Amino acid sequence: MSYLEYRFLVRPLQPASDMLMAELGELGFESFVETDNGVLAYVQTDQSPHETDIDSLFVAQHPDFEISWSFTKVEQQNWNAEWEKNFHPISVGNRCRIRAPFHPHENVEFDIVIEPKMSFGTGHHETTRMMLQLLLDENMAGKKVLDMGSGTGVLAILTEMMGADNIMAVDIDVWCFENARENVERNQCKKIQVVQGDAHVLGNEKYDLIIANINRNILLKDIPIYASCLKKAGDLFLSGFYLNDLDMISAKCGEFNLKLEKKIVENDWVAVKYVH
């Protein structure tokens, strides 16, 4: 069995990369690796789509995105080497390390093993990395946590490792839902419930901390729901948008008495903490 590696150059990276991976998954692509300038996507040679199928994708035709691509054949004996070459462990400070199953264990406080498949959230993207930084600065002991748009489940997994007692991880995409469940089990987490859906599945539950690393438009739509689900002294961590969008996000949060307390910026992406 052999694979084809498709190399996609994507501008801007987000949300175009997420949309691209979602659509490619529907075309039979099995695995993805986020890169500094796009996405590597892998599909079995006998399952490869026609080039017109790729060019006709919604994200490829969208006027706000610029996407180009090429492909090469990856022989079966080189498959693992290719995957390993493009998926490097990520360290967040000196306390947290995110690695794939084939990477060796290192002696860090939080060693997280993630196999992303078709899900977002390996720590390679600025938004995930900054959200991890925000979490590492918090005391999670006994907290009830909601992770919206959980992707691989990496943020939810870290909160359990840090002492959170009750965690719900929610993602609308079925492949993210399934992948998060696998990663929760892979990291031997016992306090995370993984749910497929959007903000409407939350009901009347109240949380000490809500995490949402999604895109700007979804955040603006769902901030009222997040606010209603926060306990009185709860915190809201948001990312997935650019620094230029921060005033808009803060204005919406302000409508619900949520005040900006902290922000991290990396390559024009921002992650923020709001408090009641």
Side-chain angles (χ1 to χ4, degrees):
M1 182 188 304
S2 63
Y3 282 80
L4 297 178
E5 176 190 83
Y6 282 71
R7 183 175 295 271
F8 291 90
L9 301 180
V10 182
R11 294 181 183 176
L13 277 175
Q14 295 298 338
S17 291
D18 286 354
M19 296 169 64
L20 175 63
M21 288 187 285
E23 290 197 85
L24 291 176
E26 297 293 329
L27 291 181
F29 284 79
E30 297 179 6
S31 299
F32 302 93
V33 177
E34 298 171 72
T35 68
D36 291 338
N37 54 15
V39 173
L40 298 179
Y42 297 91
V43 64
Q44 293 183 28
T45 301
D46 60 1
Q47 301 287 328
S48 61
H50 193 276
E51 64 181 64
T52 56
D53 294 330
I54 297 177
D55 289 335
S56 63
L57 293 175
F58 172 81
V59 67
Q61 296 186 0
H62 198 289
D64 292 340
F65 305 140
E66 182 180 335
I67 296 176
S68 59
W69 57 275
S70 61
F71 69 89
T72 56
K73 187 175 181 180
V74 181
E75 296 298 337
Q76 174 64 12
Q77 62 267 24
N78 293 327
W79 173 246
N80 287 337
E82 286 295 311
W83 174 251
E84 188 167 350
K85 181 180 72 175
N86 290 292
F87 189 99
H88 304 291
I90 293 294
S91 293
V92 183
N94 57 6
R95 299 176 63 199
C96 179
R97 185 171 182 261
I98 303 167
R99 61 183 177 90
F102 50 75
H103 293 132
H105 170 78
E106 289 188 5
N107 187 24
V108 294
E109 186 175 359
F110 305 114
D111 178 55
I112 303 176
V113 182
I114 293 294
E115 187 169 341
K117 294 189 175 178
M118 292 187 290
S119 303
F120 179 78
T122 61
H124 288 76
H125 193 268
E126 292 92 334
T127 58
T128 308
R129 196 160 53 243
M130 290 188 294
M131 289 291 264
L132 291 164
Q133 292 174 29
L134 287 178
L135 293 174
L136 287 167
D137 288 338
E138 298 294 315
N139 179 2
M140 291 291 162
K143 286 190 175 181
K144 186 174 181 180
V145 177
L146 170 65
D147 181 7
M148 290 298 302
S150 54
T152 63
V154 63
L155 300 179
I157 290 167
L158 177 60
T159 64
E160 176 168 335
M161 289 183 173
M162 293 180 65
D165 190 56
N166 185 331
I167 305 119
M168 183 164 152
V170 181
D171 204 296
I172 195 170
D173 296 318
V174 63
W175 53 86
C176 294
F177 164 70
E178 293 173 350
N179 184 222
R181 288 200 304 181
E182 293 170 355
N183 287 322
V184 164
E185 182 177 353
R186 181 173 287 111
N187 288 275
Q188 301 178 6
C189 293
K190 306 297 183 185
K191 300 177 180 179
I192 301 174
Q193 177 189 9
V194 183
V195 176
Q196 184 184 356
D198 57 17
H200 294 94
V201 306
L202 301 183
N204 297 318
E205 292 291 324
K206 300 289 185 179
Y207 298 89
D208 299 297
L209 171 63
I210 296 178
I211 310 162
N213 183 12
I214 317 180
N215 68 61
R216 183 197 68 183
N217 292 337
I218 293 177
L219 291 176
L220 289 171
K221 177 173 67 72
D222 288 347
I223 282 171
I225 300 176
Y226 301 156
S228 71
C229 291
L230 271 179
K231 293 182 180 180
K232 187 174 181 180
D235 298 326
L236 176 63
F237 289 5
L238 302 178
S239 193
F241 55 94
Y242 290 108
L243 183 59
N244 288 340
D245 298 320
L246 179 57
D247 288 344
M248 190 185 307
I249 296 290
S250 291
K252 176 60 69 172
C253 287
E255 295 176 14
F256 303 93
N257 298 315
L258 290 165
K259 299 178 181 179
L260 178 64
E261 182 178 273
K262 183 177 182 179
K263 70 178 179 182
I264 304 174
V265 180
E266 186 176 341
N267 295 330
D268 290 329
W269 293 97
V270 62
V272 287
K273 174 183 177 179
Y274 293 95
V275 298
H276 269 308

Short mmCIF file of all heavy atoms in Angstrom, two decimals, residues 230-264:
data_model
loop_
_atom_site.label_atom_id
_atom_site.label_comp_id
_atom_site.label_asym_id
_atom_site.label_seq_id
_atom_site.Cartn_x
_atom_site.Cartn_y
_atom_site.Cartn_z
N LEU A 230 -21.26 30.30 32.76
CA LEU A 230 -20.17 30.54 33.70
C LEU A 230 -20.72 30.72 35.12
O LEU A 230 -21.73 31.39 35.34
CB LEU A 230 -19.40 31.80 33.32
CG LEU A 230 -18.23 31.66 32.35
CD1 LEU A 230 -17.63 33.04 32.10
CD2 LEU A 230 -17.16 30.72 32.88
N LYS A 231 -20.03 30.14 36.08
CA LYS A 231 -20.34 30.42 37.48
C LYS A 231 -20.01 31.88 37.79
O LYS A 231 -19.31 32.55 37.02
CB LYS A 231 -19.56 29.48 38.39
CG LYS A 231 -19.98 28.03 38.27
CD LYS A 231 -19.20 27.14 39.24
CE LYS A 231 -19.63 25.68 39.12
NZ LYS A 231 -18.89 24.80 40.06
N LYS A 232 -20.46 32.36 38.91
CA LYS A 232 -20.35 33.78 39.25
C LYS A 232 -18.92 34.30 39.16
O LYS A 232 -18.67 35.39 38.65
CB LYS A 232 -20.90 34.03 40.65
CG LYS A 232 -20.98 35.49 41.02
CD LYS A 232 -21.65 35.70 42.36
CE LYS A 232 -21.74 37.18 42.70
NZ LYS A 232 -22.40 37.40 44.02
N ALA A 233 -17.97 33.53 39.63
CA ALA A 233 -16.57 33.97 39.59
C ALA A 233 -15.78 33.22 38.52
O ALA A 233 -14.56 33.07 38.61
CB ALA A 233 -15.91 33.78 40.95
N GLY A 234 -16.47 32.76 37.49
CA GLY A 234 -15.84 31.93 36.47
C GLY A 234 -14.98 32.73 35.50
O GLY A 234 -15.06 33.96 35.41
N ASP A 235 -14.14 32.01 34.76
CA ASP A 235 -13.24 32.60 33.78
C ASP A 235 -13.55 32.07 32.39
O ASP A 235 -13.97 30.92 32.22
CB ASP A 235 -11.78 32.27 34.11
CG ASP A 235 -11.35 32.82 35.46
OD1 ASP A 235 -11.82 33.91 35.83
OD2 ASP A 235 -10.53 32.16 36.12
N LEU A 236 -13.32 32.92 31.39
CA LEU A 236 -13.53 32.55 29.99
C LEU A 236 -12.22 32.77 29.24
O LEU A 236 -11.69 33.89 29.19
CB LEU A 236 -14.63 33.41 29.39
CG LEU A 236 -14.93 33.23 27.89
CD1 LEU A 236 -15.43 31.81 27.61
CD2 LEU A 236 -15.95 34.26 27.42
N PHE A 237 -11.67 31.69 28.66
CA PHE A 237 -10.45 31.77 27.84
C PHE A 237 -10.86 31.63 26.38
O PHE A 237 -11.50 30.64 26.01
CB PHE A 237 -9.48 30.64 28.19
CG PHE A 237 -8.81 30.77 29.53
CD1 PHE A 237 -9.14 31.77 30.42
CD2 PHE A 237 -7.84 29.86 29.91
CE1 PHE A 237 -8.53 31.89 31.65
CE2 PHE A 237 -7.20 29.95 31.14
CZ PHE A 237 -7.55 30.97 32.01
N LEU A 238 -10.43 32.58 25.55
CA LEU A 238 -10.80 32.57 24.14
C LEU A 238 -9.56 32.69 23.26
O LEU A 238 -8.62 33.41 23.58
CB LEU A 238 -11.75 33.72 23.80
CG LEU A 238 -13.07 33.80 24.55
CD1 LEU A 238 -13.85 35.04 24.10
CD2 LEU A 238 -13.90 32.54 24.34
N SER A 239 -9.58 32.01 22.11
CA SER A 239 -8.57 32.20 21.07
C SER A 239 -9.17 31.73 19.75
O SER A 239 -10.32 31.31 19.69
CB SER A 239 -7.28 31.44 21.40
OG SER A 239 -6.22 31.89 20.56
N GLY A 240 -8.36 31.85 18.69
CA GLY A 240 -8.83 31.47 17.36
C GLY A 240 -9.08 32.68 16.48
O GLY A 240 -9.65 32.56 15.40
N PHE A 241 -8.64 33.86 16.94
CA PHE A 241 -8.87 35.08 16.17
C PHE A 241 -7.62 35.95 16.20
O PHE A 241 -6.71 35.74 17.00
CB PHE A 241 -10.08 35.85 16.71
CG PHE A 241 -10.00 36.18 18.17
CD1 PHE A 241 -9.50 37.40 18.59
CD2 PHE A 241 -10.43 35.28 19.13
CE1 PHE A 241 -9.42 37.72 19.94
CE2 PHE A 241 -10.36 35.57 20.48
CZ PHE A 241 -9.86 36.80 20.89
N TYR A 242 -7.63 36.97 15.33
CA TYR A 242 -6.47 37.86 15.21
C TYR A 242 -6.56 39.02 16.21
O TYR A 242 -7.65 39.37 16.70
CB TYR A 242 -6.38 38.42 13.79
CG TYR A 242 -5.99 37.39 12.76
CD1 TYR A 242 -6.92 36.92 11.83
CD2 TYR A 242 -4.69 36.89 12.70
CE1 TYR A 242 -6.56 35.99 10.87
CE2 TYR A 242 -4.32 35.96 11.75
CZ TYR A 242 -5.26 35.51 10.83
OH TYR A 242 -4.91 34.57 9.89
N LEU A 243 -5.42 39.62 16.47
CA LEU A 243 -5.35 40.76 17.38
C LEU A 243 -6.28 41.89 16.92
O LEU A 243 -6.89 42.58 17.75
CB LEU A 243 -3.90 41.27 17.46
CG LEU A 243 -3.63 42.42 18.42
CD1 LEU A 243 -4.01 42.05 19.85
CD2 LEU A 243 -2.16 42.83 18.34
N ASN A 244 -6.42 42.06 15.62
CA ASN A 244 -7.31 43.11 15.10
C ASN A 244 -8.77 42.89 15.49
O ASN A 244 -9.57 43.83 15.45
CB ASN A 244 -7.20 43.19 13.58
CG ASN A 244 -5.89 43.79 13.11
OD1 ASN A 244 -5.21 44.46 13.88
ND2 ASN A 244 -5.53 43.54 11.87
N ASP A 245 -9.11 41.66 15.84
CA ASP A 245 -10.49 41.35 16.21
C ASP A 245 -10.74 41.48 17.72
O ASP A 245 -11.88 41.28 18.18
CB ASP A 245 -10.84 39.92 15.78
CG ASP A 245 -10.76 39.73 14.28
OD1 ASP A 245 -11.18 40.65 13.56
OD2 ASP A 245 -10.28 38.66 13.84
N LEU A 246 -9.70 41.79 18.48
CA LEU A 246 -9.83 41.76 19.93
C LEU A 246 -10.86 42.77 20.45
O LEU A 246 -11.65 42.46 21.35
CB LEU A 246 -8.47 42.02 20.58
CG LEU A 246 -8.46 42.04 22.12
CD1 LEU A 246 -8.99 40.72 22.68
CD2 LEU A 246 -7.04 42.30 22.63
N ASP A 247 -10.89 43.97 19.89
CA ASP A 247 -11.85 44.97 20.36
C ASP A 247 -13.29 44.48 20.17
O ASP A 247 -14.15 44.69 21.03
CB ASP A 247 -11.65 46.30 19.63
CG ASP A 247 -10.37 47.01 20.05
OD1 ASP A 247 -9.82 46.65 21.10
OD2 ASP A 247 -9.94 47.93 19.33
N MET A 248 -13.53 43.83 19.05
CA MET A 248 -14.86 43.30 18.77
C MET A 248 -15.24 42.21 19.76
O MET A 248 -16.36 42.18 20.30
CB MET A 248 -14.89 42.74 17.34
CG MET A 248 -16.25 42.38 16.81
SD MET A 248 -16.15 41.60 15.17
CE MET A 248 -15.17 42.83 14.29
N ILE A 249 -14.29 41.31 20.04
CA ILE A 249 -14.53 40.23 21.00
C ILE A 249 -14.75 40.80 22.40
O ILE A 249 -15.67 40.39 23.13
CB ILE A 249 -13.36 39.24 21.01
CG1 ILE A 249 -13.22 38.53 19.65
CG2 ILE A 249 -13.50 38.22 22.14
CD1 ILE A 249 -14.33 37.56 19.33
N SER A 250 -13.92 41.76 22.80
CA SER A 250 -14.03 42.35 24.13
C SER A 250 -15.34 43.11 24.30
O SER A 250 -15.94 43.12 25.38
CB SER A 250 -12.84 43.28 24.40
OG SER A 250 -11.64 42.53 24.53
N ALA A 251 -15.79 43.76 23.23
CA ALA A 251 -17.06 44.48 23.30
C ALA A 251 -18.21 43.53 23.54
O ALA A 251 -19.11 43.81 24.35
CB ALA A 251 -17.28 45.28 22.01
N LYS A 252 -18.19 42.39 22.86
CA LYS A 252 -19.25 41.39 23.06
C LYS A 252 -19.18 40.83 24.48
O LYS A 252 -20.22 40.66 25.14
CB LYS A 252 -19.11 40.29 22.02
CG LYS A 252 -20.10 39.13 22.18
CD LYS A 252 -21.55 39.59 22.10
CE LYS A 252 -21.94 40.04 20.71
NZ LYS A 252 -23.41 40.31 20.61
N CYS A 253 -17.98 40.53 24.95
CA CYS A 253 -17.84 40.03 26.32
C CYS A 253 -18.30 41.07 27.33
O CYS A 253 -18.93 40.73 28.36
CB CYS A 253 -16.39 39.64 26.60
SG CYS A 253 -15.85 38.11 25.78
N GLY A 254 -18.03 42.34 27.04
CA GLY A 254 -18.43 43.41 27.94
C GLY A 254 -19.93 43.49 28.13
O GLY A 254 -20.41 43.95 29.19
N GLU A 255 -20.69 43.08 27.13
CA GLU A 255 -22.15 43.08 27.26
C GLU A 255 -22.61 42.14 28.37
O GLU A 255 -23.75 42.28 28.86
CB GLU A 255 -22.79 42.66 25.94
CG GLU A 255 -22.54 43.64 24.79
CD GLU A 255 -23.12 43.13 23.48
OE1 GLU A 255 -23.92 42.17 23.51
OE2 GLU A 255 -22.76 43.69 22.42
N PHE A 256 -21.75 41.22 28.77
CA PHE A 256 -22.11 40.24 29.79
C PHE A 256 -21.19 40.35 31.02
O PHE A 256 -20.99 39.39 31.74
CB PHE A 256 -22.06 38.83 29.18
CG PHE A 256 -22.95 38.68 27.99
CD1 PHE A 256 -22.46 38.91 26.71
CD2 PHE A 256 -24.30 38.38 28.15
CE1 PHE A 256 -23.30 38.81 25.60
CE2 PHE A 256 -25.13 38.27 27.05
CZ PHE A 256 -24.64 38.48 25.77
N ASN A 257 -20.67 41.58 31.21
CA ASN A 257 -19.85 41.89 32.39
C ASN A 257 -18.60 41.03 32.48
O ASN A 257 -18.13 40.71 33.57
CB ASN A 257 -20.67 41.77 33.67
CG ASN A 257 -21.83 42.74 33.71
OD1 ASN A 257 -21.68 43.91 33.39
ND2 ASN A 257 -23.01 42.25 34.09
N LEU A 258 -18.06 40.66 31.34
CA LEU A 258 -16.80 39.92 31.29
C LEU A 258 -15.69 40.90 30.92
O LEU A 258 -15.75 41.54 29.86
CB LEU A 258 -16.87 38.78 30.27
CG LEU A 258 -17.80 37.62 30.65
CD1 LEU A 258 -18.09 36.75 29.44
CD2 LEU A 258 -17.17 36.78 31.76
N LYS A 259 -14.69 41.01 31.78
CA LYS A 259 -13.62 41.98 31.59
C LYS A 259 -12.32 41.30 31.20
O LYS A 259 -11.95 40.26 31.75
CB LYS A 259 -13.42 42.78 32.88
CG LYS A 259 -14.66 43.56 33.30
CD LYS A 259 -14.43 44.29 34.62
CE LYS A 259 -15.68 45.05 35.05
NZ LYS A 259 -15.48 45.75 36.35
N LEU A 260 -11.62 41.92 30.27
CA LEU A 260 -10.33 41.39 29.83
C LEU A 260 -9.31 41.54 30.94
O LEU A 260 -9.06 42.63 31.44
CB LEU A 260 -9.86 42.14 28.58
CG LEU A 260 -8.50 41.74 28.01
CD1 LEU A 260 -8.52 40.30 27.52
CD2 LEU A 260 -8.11 42.69 26.86
N GLU A 261 -8.69 40.41 31.32
CA GLU A 261 -7.67 40.43 32.37
C GLU A 261 -6.28 40.15 31.84
O GLU A 261 -5.29 40.66 32.36
CB GLU A 261 -8.01 39.40 33.45
CG GLU A 261 -7.01 39.38 34.60
CD GLU A 261 -7.37 38.40 35.70
OE1 GLU A 261 -8.14 38.81 36.60
OE2 GLU A 261 -6.91 37.24 35.64
N LYS A 262 -6.18 39.34 30.78
CA LYS A 262 -4.86 38.94 30.31
C LYS A 262 -4.93 38.59 28.83
O LYS A 262 -5.94 38.08 28.35
CB LYS A 262 -4.39 37.70 31.10
CG LYS A 262 -3.00 37.21 30.78
CD LYS A 262 -2.63 36.04 31.67
CE LYS A 262 -1.23 35.53 31.41
NZ LYS A 262 -0.89 34.39 32.30
N LYS A 263 -3.84 38.89 28.11
CA LYS A 263 -3.78 38.49 26.71
C LYS A 263 -2.37 38.06 26.37
O LYS A 263 -1.39 38.53 26.95
CB LYS A 263 -4.23 39.61 25.78
CG LYS A 263 -3.26 40.79 25.69
CD LYS A 263 -3.76 41.83 24.70
CE LYS A 263 -2.80 43.01 24.63
NZ LYS A 263 -3.28 44.07 23.71
N ILE A 264 -2.27 37.13 25.42
CA ILE A 264 -1.00 36.68 24.85
C ILE A 264 -1.11 36.85 23.35
O ILE A 264 -2.14 36.50 22.75
CB ILE A 264 -0.71 35.21 25.19
CG1 ILE A 264 -0.73 34.97 26.70
CG2 ILE A 264 0.64 34.78 24.62
CD1 ILE A 264 -0.58 33.50 27.08
#
